[in-house]
Amino acid sequence: MTLSPAEAAERSELVAPKLREHLPLTPFVRFGAFSDELGAEVLVKSEHLQRTGSFKARGSMAKILTLTDEQRQAGVVTASTGNHGLGVGNALATLGGHGIVYLPENASPSKVAALRRLGLELRAEGNDSGVLEPKARAYADEHGLTYVPPYNDPDIIAGQGTVAVEILEQLGGEPLDAVVVAVGGGGLISGVASVLKKHLPGIRVYGASPVRDDAMAASVRAGEIIQVDAQATLSDGTAGSVEPGSITFELCRELVDDWVLVSEDAISAALRMVIDTEHQLIEGSAAMAFAATRARRTELEGKRVAVVSCGGNISASTLVAALA
């Protein structure tokens, strides 16, 4: 299966009105202190304020909307480090249906608790999405259920791309020079970059990944999807391998202009900055996008930059450790 940037953008624009019926428009606002620090105009798409606390609510809703009542009631299966599972749970709670989530054994406790509150059936299997996704897909196939991928699916990418559809609306015709997006499996940046580059062809797209787990960035460098020797990271929302054959790989190769690898210390510092200056709580994967913006401060000086703050689901224990 392949998906061109033009097709991805069109899908996002078509699904955006449908999602607006079920999900709120998130703020796109200037972070003043951060803008002053960088000497740039930094506008933040606040997906940490999205329902379920993450942009993942978009792709999940877009996918679940394509299913029949019978398919939803029979049950859907997915694999997730937490946020995608929450998105699936929210979509099922809204539209009706049953869900099973394969998640890593080291998943964030706060995300696990939230998944349970949504009534999802949880199955902890290993600590790598490269293991979880095949198991979840195999279970769905064996039992005649619908598998909902976390990123490797045109409908999921379309839903994530509605972040950019909203950014364009909220810009109101004003220019935008760059966008910085956290990257795990690549669904978010594939959707966002497809839409923005269609309408703002001169925009520069930065993909942010943790040094400890840079599966997509390493794959793009290698010219093929590869496995990396991943370590635990504060950016748990982007953790895990890229599924072999994922349609996001070619989109990332074509659309991402620069990859920024971020250290754990830089993620912690960015998390602290957002809390201290904006008094908003974000998770590690969102902090990583801010840290990547800092890392490119010289070339972004004087520019108008969008940062996608992708989520806010962080446990108290992780927050304390990050700020220590």
CSV table of all heavy atoms in Angstrom, one decimal, residues 220-287:
chain,number,residue,atom,x,y,z
A,220,VAL,N,15.0,6.5,7.9
A,220,VAL,CA,15.1,7.4,6.8
A,220,VAL,C,16.6,7.6,6.4
A,220,VAL,O,17.0,7.6,5.2
A,220,VAL,CB,14.5,8.8,7.1
A,220,VAL,CG1,14.9,9.8,6.1
A,220,VAL,CG2,13.0,8.7,7.3
A,221,ARG,N,17.5,7.7,7.4
A,221,ARG,CA,18.9,7.7,7.1
A,221,ARG,C,19.4,6.5,6.4
A,221,ARG,O,20.2,6.6,5.5
A,221,ARG,CB,19.7,7.9,8.4
A,221,ARG,CG,19.6,9.3,9.1
A,221,ARG,CD,20.7,9.5,10.1
A,221,ARG,NE,20.7,8.5,11.1
A,221,ARG,CZ,20.0,8.5,12.3
A,221,ARG,NH1,19.2,9.5,12.5
A,221,ARG,NH2,20.1,7.5,13.2
A,222,ALA,N,18.9,5.3,6.8
A,222,ALA,CA,19.3,4.1,6.2
A,222,ALA,C,18.7,3.8,4.8
A,222,ALA,O,19.2,3.0,4.1
A,222,ALA,CB,19.0,2.9,7.2
A,223,GLY,N,17.6,4.5,4.5
A,223,GLY,CA,16.9,4.3,3.3
A,223,GLY,C,16.0,3.1,3.3
A,223,GLY,O,15.4,2.8,2.2
A,224,GLU,N,15.7,2.5,4.4
A,224,GLU,CA,14.8,1.5,4.6
A,224,GLU,C,14.4,1.4,6.1
A,224,GLU,O,15.2,1.9,7.0
A,224,GLU,CB,15.4,0.1,4.2
A,224,GLU,CG,16.7,-0.3,4.9
A,224,GLU,CD,17.2,-1.6,4.4
A,224,GLU,OE1,16.6,-2.3,3.7
A,224,GLU,OE2,18.4,-1.9,4.8
A,225,ILE,N,13.3,0.7,6.4
A,225,ILE,CA,12.9,0.6,7.8
A,225,ILE,C,13.8,-0.4,8.5
A,225,ILE,O,14.0,-1.5,8.0
A,225,ILE,CB,11.4,0.1,7.8
A,225,ILE,CG1,10.5,1.2,7.3
A,225,ILE,CG2,11.0,-0.2,9.3
A,225,ILE,CD1,9.0,0.8,7.2
A,226,ILE,N,14.4,0.1,9.6
A,226,ILE,CA,15.3,-0.7,10.4
A,226,ILE,C,14.9,-0.7,11.8
A,226,ILE,O,14.1,0.1,12.3
A,226,ILE,CB,16.8,-0.2,10.2
A,226,ILE,CG1,16.9,1.2,10.8
A,226,ILE,CG2,17.3,-0.3,8.8
A,226,ILE,CD1,18.3,1.7,10.9
A,227,GLN,N,15.5,-1.7,12.6
A,227,GLN,CA,15.3,-1.7,14.0
A,227,GLN,C,16.4,-1.0,14.7
A,227,GLN,O,17.6,-1.0,14.2
A,227,GLN,CB,15.3,-3.2,14.5
A,227,GLN,CG,14.2,-4.1,13.8
A,227,GLN,CD,12.8,-3.7,14.2
A,227,GLN,OE1,12.5,-3.5,15.4
A,227,GLN,NE2,12.0,-3.5,13.2
A,228,VAL,N,16.1,-0.3,15.8
A,228,VAL,CA,17.2,0.4,16.5
A,228,VAL,C,17.2,-0.2,17.9
A,228,VAL,O,16.3,-0.8,18.4
A,228,VAL,CB,16.9,1.9,16.6
A,228,VAL,CG1,16.8,2.5,15.2
A,228,VAL,CG2,15.6,2.2,17.3
A,229,ASP,N,18.4,0.0,18.5
A,229,ASP,CA,18.6,-0.4,19.9
A,229,ASP,C,18.0,0.6,20.8
A,229,ASP,O,18.7,1.5,21.3
A,229,ASP,CB,20.1,-0.7,20.2
A,229,ASP,CG,20.3,-1.3,21.5
A,229,ASP,OD1,19.4,-1.8,22.2
A,229,ASP,OD2,21.5,-1.2,22.0
A,230,ALA,N,16.7,0.6,21.1
A,230,ALA,CA,16.0,1.6,21.8
A,230,ALA,C,16.2,1.5,23.3
A,230,ALA,O,16.4,0.4,23.8
A,230,ALA,CB,14.6,1.6,21.5
A,231,GLN,N,16.2,2.6,24.0
A,231,GLN,CA,16.2,2.7,25.4
A,231,GLN,C,15.0,3.5,25.9
A,231,GLN,O,14.4,4.2,25.1
A,231,GLN,CB,17.5,3.4,25.9
A,231,GLN,CG,18.8,2.7,25.5
A,231,GLN,CD,20.0,3.6,25.8
A,231,GLN,OE1,20.4,4.5,25.2
A,231,GLN,NE2,20.7,3.2,26.9
A,232,ALA,N,14.8,3.4,27.2
A,232,ALA,CA,13.6,4.1,27.8
A,232,ALA,C,13.8,5.6,27.6
A,232,ALA,O,14.9,6.1,27.7
A,232,ALA,CB,13.5,3.8,29.3
A,233,THR,N,12.7,6.3,27.3
A,233,THR,CA,12.8,7.8,27.1
A,233,THR,C,11.6,8.4,27.7
A,233,THR,O,10.5,7.8,27.9
A,233,THR,CB,12.9,8.1,25.6
A,233,THR,OG1,12.7,9.5,25.4
A,233,THR,CG2,11.7,7.4,24.8
A,234,LEU,N,11.8,9.7,28.1
A,234,LEU,CA,10.7,10.5,28.6
A,234,LEU,C,9.6,10.7,27.5
A,234,LEU,O,8.4,10.9,27.8
A,234,LEU,CB,11.2,11.9,29.1
A,234,LEU,CG,11.9,12.0,30.4
A,234,LEU,CD1,12.6,13.3,30.6
A,234,LEU,CD2,11.0,11.6,31.5
A,235,SER,N,10.0,10.6,26.3
A,235,SER,CA,9.1,10.7,25.2
A,235,SER,C,8.5,9.3,24.9
A,235,SER,O,8.6,8.7,23.8
A,235,SER,CB,9.8,11.2,23.9
A,235,SER,OG,8.9,11.3,22.8
A,236,ASP,N,7.8,8.8,25.9
A,236,ASP,CA,7.2,7.5,25.8
A,236,ASP,C,6.1,7.4,24.7
A,236,ASP,O,5.8,6.3,24.1
A,236,ASP,CB,6.6,7.0,27.1
A,236,ASP,CG,5.5,7.9,27.6
A,236,ASP,OD1,5.6,9.1,27.6
A,236,ASP,OD2,4.5,7.3,28.0
A,237,GLY,N,5.5,8.5,24.4
A,237,GLY,CA,4.5,8.5,23.3
A,237,GLY,C,5.0,8.3,21.9
A,237,GLY,O,4.2,7.9,21.0
A,238,THR,N,6.3,8.4,21.7
A,238,THR,CA,6.9,8.2,20.4
A,238,THR,C,7.7,6.9,20.4
A,238,THR,O,8.3,6.6,19.4
A,238,THR,CB,7.8,9.3,20.0
A,238,THR,OG1,8.9,9.4,20.9
A,238,THR,CG2,7.1,10.6,19.9
A,239,ALA,N,7.7,6.1,21.5
A,239,ALA,CA,8.6,5.0,21.6
A,239,ALA,C,8.1,3.8,20.8
A,239,ALA,O,7.0,3.6,20.5
A,239,ALA,CB,8.7,4.5,23.1
A,240,GLY,N,9.1,3.0,20.3
A,240,GLY,CA,8.8,1.8,19.6
A,240,GLY,C,9.3,1.8,18.2
A,240,GLY,O,9.6,2.8,17.6
A,241,SER,N,9.3,0.6,17.6
A,241,SER,CA,9.8,0.4,16.3
A,241,SER,C,8.8,0.8,15.2
A,241,SER,O,7.6,1.0,15.6
A,241,SER,CB,10.0,-1.1,16.0
A,241,SER,OG,10.9,-1.6,17.0
A,242,VAL,N,9.2,1.0,14.0
A,242,VAL,CA,8.3,1.3,12.9
A,242,VAL,C,7.9,0.0,12.2
A,242,VAL,O,8.8,-0.9,11.9
A,242,VAL,CB,9.0,2.2,11.9
A,242,VAL,CG1,8.1,2.5,10.7
A,242,VAL,CG2,9.5,3.5,12.6
A,243,GLU,N,6.6,-0.2,12.0
A,243,GLU,CA,6.2,-1.5,11.4
A,243,GLU,C,6.7,-1.6,10.0
A,243,GLU,O,6.7,-0.7,9.2
A,243,GLU,CB,4.6,-1.4,11.3
A,243,GLU,CG,4.0,-2.7,10.8
A,243,GLU,CD,2.5,-2.7,10.9
A,243,GLU,OE1,1.9,-1.6,10.7
A,243,GLU,OE2,1.9,-3.8,11.1
A,244,PRO,N,7.2,-2.8,9.7
A,244,PRO,CA,7.7,-3.1,8.3
A,244,PRO,C,6.7,-2.7,7.2
A,244,PRO,O,5.5,-3.1,7.4
A,244,PRO,CB,8.1,-4.6,8.3
A,244,PRO,CG,8.4,-4.9,9.7
A,244,PRO,CD,7.4,-4.0,10.5
A,245,GLY,N,7.1,-2.0,6.2
A,245,GLY,CA,6.2,-1.7,5.1
A,245,GLY,C,5.2,-0.5,5.4
A,245,GLY,O,4.3,-0.2,4.7
A,246,SER,N,5.5,0.2,6.6
A,246,SER,CA,4.6,1.3,6.9
A,246,SER,C,4.5,2.4,5.9
A,246,SER,O,5.6,2.8,5.3
A,246,SER,CB,5.0,1.9,8.3
A,246,SER,OG,4.2,3.0,8.6
A,247,ILE,N,3.3,2.8,5.5
A,247,ILE,CA,3.2,3.9,4.5
A,247,ILE,C,3.7,5.2,5.0
A,247,ILE,O,4.0,6.1,4.2
A,247,ILE,CB,1.7,4.0,4.1
A,247,ILE,CG1,0.8,4.3,5.3
A,247,ILE,CG2,1.3,2.8,3.3
A,247,ILE,CD1,-0.6,4.6,4.9
A,248,THR,N,3.9,5.3,6.3
A,248,THR,CA,4.5,6.6,6.8
A,248,THR,C,6.0,6.8,6.5
A,248,THR,O,6.5,7.9,6.4
A,248,THR,CB,4.3,6.7,8.3
A,248,THR,OG1,5.0,5.5,8.9
A,248,THR,CG2,2.9,6.7,8.7
A,249,PHE,N,6.7,5.7,6.2
A,249,PHE,CA,8.1,5.8,5.9
A,249,PHE,C,8.4,6.6,4.7
A,249,PHE,O,9.2,7.6,4.7
A,249,PHE,CB,8.7,4.4,5.7
A,249,PHE,CG,10.1,4.4,5.3
A,249,PHE,CD1,11.1,4.9,6.1
A,249,PHE,CD2,10.5,3.9,4.0
A,249,PHE,CE1,12.5,4.9,5.7
A,249,PHE,CE2,11.8,3.9,3.6
A,249,PHE,CZ,12.8,4.4,4.4
A,250,GLU,N,7.7,6.3,3.6
A,250,GLU,CA,7.9,7.1,2.3
A,250,GLU,C,7.5,8.5,2.5
A,250,GLU,O,8.1,9.5,2.0
A,250,GLU,CB,7.2,6.4,1.1
A,250,GLU,CG,7.9,5.1,0.7
A,250,GLU,CD,9.3,5.3,0.2
A,250,GLU,OE1,9.7,6.4,-0.2
A,250,GLU,OE2,10.0,4.3,0.2
A,251,LEU,N,6.4,8.8,3.2
A,251,LEU,CA,5.9,10.1,3.5
A,251,LEU,C,6.9,10.9,4.3
A,251,LEU,O,7.2,12.1,4.0
A,251,LEU,CB,4.5,10.1,4.2
A,251,LEU,CG,3.4,9.6,3.4
A,251,LEU,CD1,2.1,9.3,4.2
A,251,LEU,CD2,3.0,10.7,2.3
A,252,CYS,N,7.5,10.3,5.3
A,252,CYS,CA,8.5,11.0,6.1
A,252,CYS,C,9.8,11.3,5.2
A,252,CYS,O,10.4,12.3,5.3
A,252,CYS,CB,8.9,10.1,7.3
A,252,CYS,SG,7.7,10.1,8.6
A,253,ARG,N,10.2,10.3,4.4
A,253,ARG,CA,11.3,10.5,3.5
A,253,ARG,C,11.1,11.7,2.6
A,253,ARG,O,12.0,12.5,2.4
A,253,ARG,CB,11.6,9.3,2.7
A,253,ARG,CG,12.3,8.2,3.4
A,253,ARG,CD,13.3,7.5,2.5
A,253,ARG,NE,12.7,6.8,1.3
A,253,ARG,CZ,13.4,6.1,0.5
A,253,ARG,NH1,14.7,5.8,0.7
A,253,ARG,NH2,12.9,5.5,-0.5
A,254,GLU,N,9.9,11.9,2.1
A,254,GLU,CA,9.6,12.9,1.2
A,254,GLU,C,9.3,14.3,1.8
A,254,GLU,O,9.7,15.3,1.2
A,254,GLU,CB,8.4,12.5,0.3
A,254,GLU,CG,8.1,13.5,-0.8
A,254,GLU,CD,7.0,13.0,-1.8
A,254,GLU,OE1,6.7,11.8,-1.7
A,254,GLU,OE2,6.6,13.8,-2.6
A,255,LEU,N,8.7,14.3,3.0
A,255,LEU,CA,8.2,15.5,3.5
A,255,LEU,C,9.0,16.1,4.6
A,255,LEU,O,8.9,17.4,4.8
A,255,LEU,CB,6.8,15.2,4.1
A,255,LEU,CG,5.7,14.8,3.0
A,255,LEU,CD1,4.5,14.3,3.7
A,255,LEU,CD2,5.4,16.0,2.1
A,256,VAL,N,9.8,15.4,5.4
A,256,VAL,CA,10.5,15.9,6.5
A,256,VAL,C,11.8,16.5,6.0
A,256,VAL,O,12.7,15.8,5.4
A,256,VAL,CB,10.8,14.9,7.6
A,256,VAL,CG1,11.6,15.5,8.7
A,256,VAL,CG2,9.5,14.3,8.1
A,257,ASP,N,12.1,17.8,6.3
A,257,ASP,CA,13.2,18.5,5.8
A,257,ASP,C,14.5,18.3,6.7
A,257,ASP,O,15.6,18.4,6.2
A,257,ASP,CB,12.9,20.0,5.6
A,257,ASP,CG,11.9,20.2,4.6
A,257,ASP,OD1,12.0,19.8,3.4
A,257,ASP,OD2,10.8,20.8,5.0
A,258,ASP,N,14.2,18.1,8.0
A,258,ASP,CA,15.3,18.0,8.9
A,258,ASP,C,14.9,17.2,10.1
A,258,ASP,O,13.8,17.3,10.6
A,258,ASP,CB,15.7,19.4,9.4
A,258,ASP,CG,17.0,19.4,10.2
A,258,ASP,OD1,17.7,18.4,10.2
A,258,ASP,OD2,17.3,20.5,10.9
A,259,TRP,N,15.8,16.3,10.5
A,259,TRP,CA,15.5,15.5,11.7
A,259,TRP,C,16.4,16.0,12.9
A,259,TRP,O,17.6,16.3,12.8
A,259,TRP,CB,15.9,14.0,11.5
A,259,TRP,CG,15.0,13.4,10.4
A,259,TRP,CD1,15.2,13.3,9.1
A,259,TRP,CD2,13.7,12.8,10.7
A,259,TRP,NE1,14.1,12.7,8.5
A,259,TRP,CE2,13.2,12.3,9.4
A,259,TRP,CE3,13.0,12.5,11.9
A,259,TRP,CZ2,12.0,11.7,9.3
A,259,TRP,CZ3,11.8,11.9,11.7
A,259,TRP,CH2,11.3,11.4,10.5
A,260,VAL,N,15.7,16.2,14.0
A,260,VAL,CA,16.4,16.7,15.2
A,260,VAL,C,16.3,15.7,16.3
A,260,VAL,O,15.2,15.3,16.7
A,260,VAL,CB,15.7,18.0,15.7
A,260,VAL,CG1,16.5,18.7,16.8
A,260,VAL,CG2,15.5,19.0,14.6
A,261,LEU,N,17.5,15.2,16.7
A,261,LEU,CA,17.5,14.2,17.8
A,261,LEU,C,17.8,14.9,19.1
A,261,LEU,O,18.7,15.7,19.3
A,261,LEU,CB,18.6,13.2,17.5
A,261,LEU,CG,18.5,12.4,16.2
A,261,LEU,CD1,19.6,11.3,16.1
A,261,LEU,CD2,17.1,11.9,16.0
A,262,VAL,N,16.9,14.6,20.1
A,262,VAL,CA,16.9,15.3,21.3
A,262,VAL,C,17.3,14.4,22.5
A,262,VAL,O,16.8,13.3,22.7
A,262,VAL,CB,15.4,15.8,21.6
A,262,VAL,CG1,15.4,16.7,22.8
A,262,VAL,CG2,15.0,16.7,20.3
A,263,SER,N,18.1,15.0,23.4
A,263,SER,CA,18.6,14.3,24.6
A,263,SER,C,17.5,14.3,25.7
A,263,SER,O,16.6,15.1,25.7
A,263,SER,CB,19.8,14.9,25.1
A,263,SER,OG,19.6,16.2,25.7
A,264,GLU,N,17.6,13.4,26.6
A,264,GLU,CA,16.7,13.4,27.8
A,264,GLU,C,16.8,14.6,28.6
A,264,GLU,O,15.8,15.2,29.1
A,264,GLU,CB,17.0,12.1,28.6
A,264,GLU,CG,16.7,10.8,27.9
A,264,GLU,CD,15.3,10.6,27.4
A,264,GLU,OE1,14.4,10.6,28.2
A,264,GLU,OE2,15.2,10.6,26.2
A,265,ASP,N,18.0,15.2,28.8
A,265,ASP,CA,18.1,16.4,29.5
A,265,ASP,C,17.4,17.6,28.8
A,265,ASP,O,16.8,18.4,29.5
A,265,ASP,CB,19.6,16.8,29.7
A,265,ASP,CG,20.3,15.9,30.7
A,265,ASP,OD1,19.6,15.2,31.5
A,265,ASP,OD2,21.6,15.9,30.7
A,266,ALA,N,17.5,17.6,27.5
A,266,ALA,CA,16.8,18.6,26.7
A,266,ALA,C,15.3,18.5,26.8
A,266,ALA,O,14.6,19.5,26.9
A,266,ALA,CB,17.2,18.6,25.3
A,267,ILE,N,14.8,17.3,26.8
A,267,ILE,CA,13.3,17.1,27.0
A,267,ILE,C,12.9,17.6,28.4
A,267,ILE,O,11.9,18.3,28.5
A,267,ILE,CB,13.0,15.6,26.8
A,267,ILE,CG1,13.3,15.1,25.4
A,267,ILE,CG2,11.5,15.4,27.1
A,267,ILE,CD1,13.1,13.6,25.2
A,268,SER,N,13.6,17.2,29.4
A,268,SER,CA,13.3,17.7,30.8
A,268,SER,C,13.3,19.2,30.9
A,268,SER,O,12.4,19.8,31.5
A,268,SER,CB,14.3,17.1,31.8
A,268,SER,OG,14.2,15.7,31.9
A,269,ALA,N,14.3,19.8,30.3
A,269,ALA,CA,14.4,21.3,30.4
A,269,ALA,C,13.3,21.9,29.6
A,269,ALA,O,12.7,22.9,30.1
A,269,ALA,CB,15.7,21.7,29.7
A,270,ALA,N,12.8,21.4,28.5
A,270,ALA,CA,11.7,22.0,27.8
A,270,ALA,C,10.4,21.8,28.5
A,270,ALA,O,9.5,22.7,28.6
A,270,ALA,CB,11.6,21.3,26.4
A,271,LEU,N,10.3,20.6,29.2
A,271,LEU,CA,9.1,20.4,30.0
A,271,LEU,C,9.0,21.4,31.1
A,271,LEU,O,7.9,22.0,31.4
A,271,LEU,CB,9.1,18.9,30.6
A,271,LEU,CG,8.0,18.5,31.5
A,271,LEU,CD1,6.7,18.5,30.8
A,271,LEU,CD2,8.3,17.1,32.0
A,272,ARG,N,10.1,21.6,31.8
A,272,ARG,CA,10.2,22.6,32.9
A,272,ARG,C,9.9,24.0,32.4
A,272,ARG,O,9.1,24.8,33.0
A,272,ARG,CB,11.6,22.6,33.5
A,272,ARG,CG,11.7,23.5,34.7
A,272,ARG,CD,13.1,23.4,35.3
A,272,ARG,NE,13.4,22.0,35.9
A,272,ARG,CZ,14.2,21.2,35.3
A,272,ARG,NH1,14.8,21.5,34.2
A,272,ARG,NH2,14.4,20.0,35.8
A,273,MET,N,10.4,24.3,31.2
A,273,MET,CA,10.1,25.7,30.6
A,273,MET,C,8.6,25.9,30.4
A,273,MET,O,8.1,27.0,30.7
A,273,MET,CB,10.9,25.8,29.3
A,273,MET,CG,10.7,27.1,28.5
A,273,MET,SD,9.3,27.2,27.4
A,273,MET,CE,9.7,25.9,26.2
A,274,VAL,N,7.9,24.9,29.8
A,274,VAL,CA,6.5,25.1,29.5
A,274,VAL,C,5.7,25.2,30.8
A,274,VAL,O,4.8,26.1,30.9
A,274,VAL,CB,6.0,23.9,28.7
A,274,VAL,CG1,4.5,24.0,28.5
A,274,VAL,CG2,6.6,23.9,27.3
A,275,ILE,N,6.1,24.5,31.8
A,275,ILE,CA,5.4,24.6,33.1
A,275,ILE,C,5.6,25.9,33.8
A,275,ILE,O,4.7,26.6,34.3
A,275,ILE,CB,5.8,23.4,34.0
A,275,ILE,CG1,5.3,22.1,33.5
A,275,ILE,CG2,5.3,23.6,35.5
A,275,ILE,CD1,5.8,20.9,34.2
A,276,ASP,N,6.9,26.3,33.8
A,276,ASP,CA,7.2,27.6,34.4
A,276,ASP,C,6.7,28.8,33.7
A,276,ASP,O,6.3,29.8,34.4
A,276,ASP,CB,8.8,27.7,34.5
A,276,ASP,CG,9.4,26.8,35.6
A,276,ASP,OD1,8.6,26.3,36.4
A,276,ASP,OD2,10.6,26.6,35.6
A,277,THR,N,6.7,28.8,32.4
A,277,THR,CA,6.3,30.0,31.7
A,277,THR,C,4.8,30.1,31.2
A,277,THR,O,4.2,31.1,31.2
A,277,THR,CB,7.2,30.2,30.4
A,277,THR,OG1,7.0,29.1,29.5
A,277,THR,CG2,8.6,30.3,30.8
A,278,GLU,N,4.3,28.9,30.9
A,278,GLU,CA,2.9,28.9,30.4
A,278,GLU,C,1.9,28.2,31.4
A,278,GLU,O,0.7,28.3,31.3
A,278,GLU,CB,2.8,28.1,29.1
A,278,GLU,CG,3.6,28.8,28.0
A,278,GLU,CD,3.0,30.2,27.6
A,278,GLU,OE1,1.8,30.4,27.8
A,278,GLU,OE2,3.8,31.0,27.1
A,279,HIS,N,2.5,27.6,32.5
A,279,HIS,CA,1.7,26.9,33.5
A,279,HIS,C,0.8,25.9,32.9
A,279,HIS,O,-0.4,25.7,33.3
A,279,HIS,CB,1.0,27.9,34.3
A,279,HIS,CG,1.8,29.1,34.7
A,279,HIS,ND1,2.9,28.9,35.6
A,279,HIS,CD2,1.8,30.4,34.4
A,279,HIS,CE1,3.5,30.1,35.7
A,279,HIS,NE2,2.9,31.0,35.0
A,280,GLN,N,1.3,25.2,31.9
A,280,GLN,CA,0.5,24.1,31.3
A,280,GLN,C,1.3,22.8,31.4
A,280,GLN,O,2.5,22.8,31.3
A,280,GLN,CB,0.2,24.4,29.8
A,280,GLN,CG,-0.7,25.6,29.6
A,280,GLN,CD,-1.1,25.8,28.2
A,280,GLN,OE1,-1.4,24.9,27.5
A,280,GLN,NE2,-1.2,27.1,27.7
A,281,LEU,N,0.6,21.7,31.5
A,281,LEU,CA,1.2,20.4,31.7
A,281,LEU,C,1.2,19.7,30.3
A,281,LEU,O,0.2,19.5,29.7
A,281,LEU,CB,0.4,19.6,32.7
A,281,LEU,CG,1.1,18.2,33.2
A,281,LEU,CD1,2.5,18.5,33.8
A,281,LEU,CD2,0.2,17.5,34.1
A,282,ILE,N,2.4,19.3,29.9
A,282,ILE,CA,2.6,18.5,28.7
A,282,ILE,C,3.3,17.2,29.0
A,282,ILE,O,4.0,17.1,30.0
A,282,ILE,CB,3.3,19.3,27.6
A,282,ILE,CG1,4.7,19.7,28.1
A,282,ILE,CG2,2.5,20.5,27.2
A,282,ILE,CD1,5.6,20.4,27.0
A,283,GLU,N,3.3,16.3,28.1
A,283,GLU,CA,4.0,15.0,28.3
A,283,GLU,C,5.4,15.1,27.6
A,283,GLU,O,5.7,16.1,26.9
A,283,GLU,CB,3.2,13.8,27.8
A,283,GLU,CG,2.9,13.8,26.3
A,283,GLU,CD,2.1,12.6,25.9
A,283,GLU,OE1,0.9,12.6,26.3
A,283,GLU,OE2,2.6,11.7,25.3
A,284,GLY,N,6.2,14.1,27.7
A,284,GLY,CA,7.6,14.1,27.2
A,284,GLY,C,7.6,14.2,25.7
A,284,GLY,O,8.5,14.9,25.2
A,285,SER,N,6.7,13.6,25.0
A,285,SER,CA,6.8,13.7,23.5
A,285,SER,C,6.5,15.1,23.0
A,285,SER,O,7.1,15.6,22.1
A,285,SER,CB,5.8,12.7,22.9
A,285,SER,OG,4.5,12.8,23.4
A,286,ALA,N,5.6,15.8,23.8
A,286,ALA,CA,5.4,17.2,23.4
A,286,ALA,C,6.6,18.1,23.8
A,286,ALA,O,7.0,19.0,23.0
A,286,ALA,CB,4.1,17.7,24.1
A,287,ALA,N,7.1,17.8,25.0
A,287,ALA,CA,8.3,18.6,25.4
A,287,ALA,C,9.4,18.4,24.4
A,287,ALA,O,10.3,19.3,24.2
A,287,ALA,CB,8.7,18.2,26.8
